[in-house]
Amino acid sequence: MPVSRKSDTSQKNALKREGGLVGLILACVGASIGSGWLFGPLFTAQMAGPLAIGSWILGAAAILLLALVFAELAPMIPRAGAVVHLAHVGNGPIVGHMWSWILFLSYASIAPLEVTAVLTYANNYYPGLLQPHTDLLSSFGFLIAVIMLGLFVVTNFMVIGWVLKVNNAATWWKIGIPLLTAVMLIVVAWHPGNFHVRAHNTLTDVHGMFIAIASGGVIFSLLGFRHAIDLAGESKNPKRDVPIAVVGSVLIASAVYIAVQVAFLGAVNPADIAKDGWVHLHFEGVNGPFAALAAAVGIGWLATLLYVDAFISPAGTGLIYTTTAARVTLATAETGAAPRWLNKINRHGVPWVTLILLFFVGIIFFLPFPSWQKMVGYIASMTVLSYSIGPIALIQIRKAMPNLERSFRLWGAPVLAPIAFVVSTWIVYWSGLRTLNFIFITLFVLLAIYALTGIFRKGRWAEMGWQYMWWIFPYFIGMWAISWIGPKDLGGLGYLAFFPSMGALAVLALSVFYLAIRESVADKTMRVYMRQFGNKVPPVAP
């Protein structure tokens, strides 16, 4: 298995290690509190009613489980786009390449999505940014969106220390405004009776509580922890700072989201849910739900503040995702998954070529795509799928290098890692059959491209490591098949009920998890790979 390329960065310019612990934590929290807090509570309430609170609690627990896995893994590879390298370590180049592009697609779409969220809120007080009676951008809105995306890219041409300072300032605002909103709505417009109104019926609301985790914006909103991993290559002390930032940011963001969800549920006018429940919740200004609620209960100054925040929060998230997306793209070039010309860093430590690429790819996502809710389902599921490689990599590295120095060691990893893989599988499944169709078609197209490359380029087939990736086929095909015959709530045929389908998926995921461990890259090869990142790999006892 070839190890990652010696990049131009090792010879000329390199990413600057200018990020501190506070900067990493705020980067993660700032990425989490964007358009998710502005729209997520509305969609989760429509899916699950008062059980939406459970969606955020369960989502936070699932993300925290993944975060703990990466708290051990990330410091071992203090490199930009560490997840890309982790996919290579135990599973070979072909899996690493596929996972690289999954990550790229999920990251590249987020900044455009946040820009769209800004313009959706702004259309409430500046009509004309959206097409009439739709969520799609008008021609004028498209122009403004391109300009905003360009500003994110230009700002990222600053050295990472300055980018993090800009983000730090925005993040303190982004934490304060949601908490202020939650307190004001609870104090001024608290309707405890709302918590007894269902969205559909008791059983369906329970299903909705799980489905909202993937499709209501919950996971999308809580994935900000990954920025500590992606910026590890620019952290002053990654072995100490990355684990703290990963876990701490999940706890902070989760607390904020649970608070605003409780406030939203209690602040809705009971008359708006009296007839049809939460599922058909609609009120004037619903495209800017929190601002509309504040205005409706007479807190005009808060409504104005929220319209300002509807620019700052998504814009701040779009800025930091542009930063980390550039680093993930850089890692794809380092590992050979992308052309080498992407692996360019200027004398200020800025990956300028990847930033320009992200700008043009981002413009594509401004075209008439589905709504914010549908897009976050795609993004969250693709991202969780890409991060599901972490629990596998954790056990593979433990097996190959049991005595490797670790700044954080996950307690109970042999039990928690497979559980994390099962939970990741559930999250992807909860996004629904249509989303799975989109994801798996994309993956199999990528797989076909790599297969053709291996056939027509002499010697390429052997070095791609196809023998390490056969677990992918039963995993993807099995997940799709269970979804296809699964509950109608998720777009299936209804032959398999909701919880039995989750049980079947758990069996599938556990089987695939141990298959992937058994079919992993040779221990010796993994040790060679890990030495590249400065790890002191002790000899294995005979």
Side-chain angles (χ1 to χ4, degrees):
M1 183 187 86
V3 295
S4 78
R5 298 176 182 176
K6 185 178 182 181
S7 67
D8 295 343
T9 65
S10 62
Q11 300 172 356
K12 298 178 183 179
N13 306 306
L15 295 170
K16 307 298 184 184
R17 292 193 176 274
E18 297 186 0
L21 174 59
V22 174
L24 280 180
I25 292 175
L26 292 179
C28 297
V29 176
S32 295
I33 305 176
S35 61
W37 99 265
L38 297 168
F39 295 106
L42 168 66
F43 293 125
T44 52
Q46 289 174 328
M47 292 180 178
L51 292 182
I53 299 170
S55 298
W56 291 100
I57 294 172
L58 291 172
I63 289 299
L64 186 59
L65 191 58
L66 269 181
L68 287 169
V69 168
F70 282 95
E72 176 173 327
L73 287 173
M76 298 180 195
I77 304 182
R79 201 61 90 76
V83 177
V84 173
H85 295 287
L86 284 168
H88 279 72
V89 172
N91 299 278
I94 186 64
V95 174
H97 291 356
M98 287 180 65
W99 254 246
S100 298
W101 287 109
I102 296 170
L103 273 172
F104 173 78
L105 290 172
S106 67
Y107 274 77
S109 60
I110 290 178
L113 184 68
E114 297 296 338
V115 170
T116 302
V118 171
L119 299 183
T120 299
Y121 244 81
N123 192 70
N124 285 292
Y125 57 85
Y126 195 88
L129 296 171
L130 302 181
Q131 297 176 24
H133 311 297
T134 73
D135 295 325
L136 303 179
L137 295 173
S138 65
S139 299
F140 177 64
F142 180 85
L143 175 63
I144 299 300
V146 171
I147 292 172
M148 283 189 65
L149 186 64
L151 290 175
F152 292 162
V153 170
V154 169
T155 304
N156 268 280
F157 269 81
M158 299 188 296
V159 296
I160 188 63
W162 283 102
V163 173
L164 290 179
K165 286 178 181 178
V166 171
N167 181 73
N168 291 355
T171 299
W172 288 114
W173 166 283
K174 292 167 69 173
I175 295 173
I177 297 302
L179 291 178
L180 174 64
T181 302
V183 170
M184 291 303 302
L185 290 179
I186 289 172
V187 170
V188 176
W190 184 249
H191 304 105
N194 289 356
F195 293 87
H196 301 289
V197 178
R198 298 168 180 168
H200 308 79
N201 59 62
T202 301
L203 180 60
T204 309
D205 282 6
V206 173
H207 295 176
M209 178 177 67
F210 289 103
I211 295 170
I213 293 173
S215 301
V218 174
I219 292 298
F220 171 79
S221 301
L222 296 175
L223 281 171
F225 79 89
R226 55 185 167 163
H227 294 279
I229 301 166
D230 298 323
L231 296 174
E234 291 150 282
S235 171
K236 294 175 183 177
N237 188 354
K239 290 187 178 298
R240 182 203 68 182
D241 295 349
V242 171
I244 296 173
V246 163
V247 176
S249 63
V250 173
L251 295 175
I252 294 170
S254 300
V256 171
Y257 275 105
I258 291 170
V260 296
Q261 182 68 69
V262 170
F264 180 86
L265 291 168
V268 168
N269 188 334
D272 292 328
I273 55 174
K275 183 179 179 181
D276 296 317
W278 290 96
V279 67
H280 296 298
L281 173 63
H282 185 85
F283 47 83
E284 186 176 354
V286 73
N287 283 340
F290 278 102
L293 285 178
V297 298
I299 319 175
W301 61 267
L302 180 59
T304 301
L305 201 61
L306 286 170
Y307 280 122
V308 174
D309 179 73
F311 174 83
I312 295 176
S313 285
T317 298
L319 173 66
I320 199 64
Y321 265 103
T322 303
T323 304
T324 50
R327 275 70 184 169
V328 167
T329 310
L330 185 69
T332 65
E334 286 185 342
T335 58
R340 193 163 187 169
W341 52 264
L342 286 174
N343 193 15
K344 300 289 184 183
I345 296 175
N346 66 20
R347 61 189 179 88
H348 300 295
V350 175
W352 63 276
V353 176
T354 60
L355 284 171
I356 294 173
L357 172 67
L358 286 167
F359 173 71
F360 287 105
V361 172
I363 291 175
I364 296 173
F365 286 97
F366 291 135
L367 298 177
F369 279 96
S371 65
W372 182 92
Q373 182 187 355
K374 295 294 184 184
M375 284 299 293
V376 298
Y378 294 143
I379 294 168
S381 298
M382 290 192 75
T383 306
V384 170
L385 181 64
S386 66
Y387 273 71
S388 67
I389 204 76
I392 294 173
L394 178 66
I395 301 302
Q396 288 171 332
I397 294 173
R398 286 268 188 107
K399 172 174 163 287
M401 291 158 275
N403 299 319
L404 182 67
E405 180 184 350
R406 292 165 170 84
S407 56
F408 172 82
R409 189 176 183 90
L410 177 62
W411 177 85
V415 175
L416 293 180
I419 292 175
F421 187 72
V422 170
V423 171
S424 299
T425 303
W426 281 342
I427 292 171
V428 177
Y429 172 68
W430 291 332
S431 65
L433 182 62
R434 290 182 62 183
T435 300
L436 288 180
N437 288 338
F438 172 80
I439 293 173
F440 292 160
I441 288 172
T442 302
L443 291 176
F444 281 114
V445 167
L446 287 171
L447 193 62
I449 291 172
Y450 280 116
L452 291 172
T453 302
I455 291 171
F456 291 108
R457 290 181 61 181
K458 187 177 180 180
R460 184 67 171 166
W461 183 272
E463 70 180 29
M464 289 300 288
W466 290 88
Q467 66 271 32
Y468 307 120
M469 56 80 65
W470 296 114
W471 58 270
I472 286 179
F473 291 102
Y475 183 51
F476 288 171
I477 293 172
M479 193 191 310
W480 183 87
I482 292 172
S483 181
W484 181 56
I485 65 173
K488 293 182 179 180
D489 308 55
L490 295 170
L493 298 175
Y495 296 129
L496 195 60
F498 191 88
F499 290 109
S501 68
M502 286 175 58
L505 274 172
V507 173
L508 171 69
L510 287 173
S511 303
V512 167
F513 180 85
Y514 291 109
L515 177 63
I517 301 300
R518 193 184 71 178
E519 300 297 326
S520 63
V521 169
D523 292 354
K524 181 180 178 181
T525 305
M526 280 193 271
R527 291 194 286 269
V528 171
Y529 196 100
M530 292 300 288
R531 287 191 183 102
Q532 293 182 93
F533 305 104
N535 292 288
K536 296 178 181 179
V537 182
V540 178

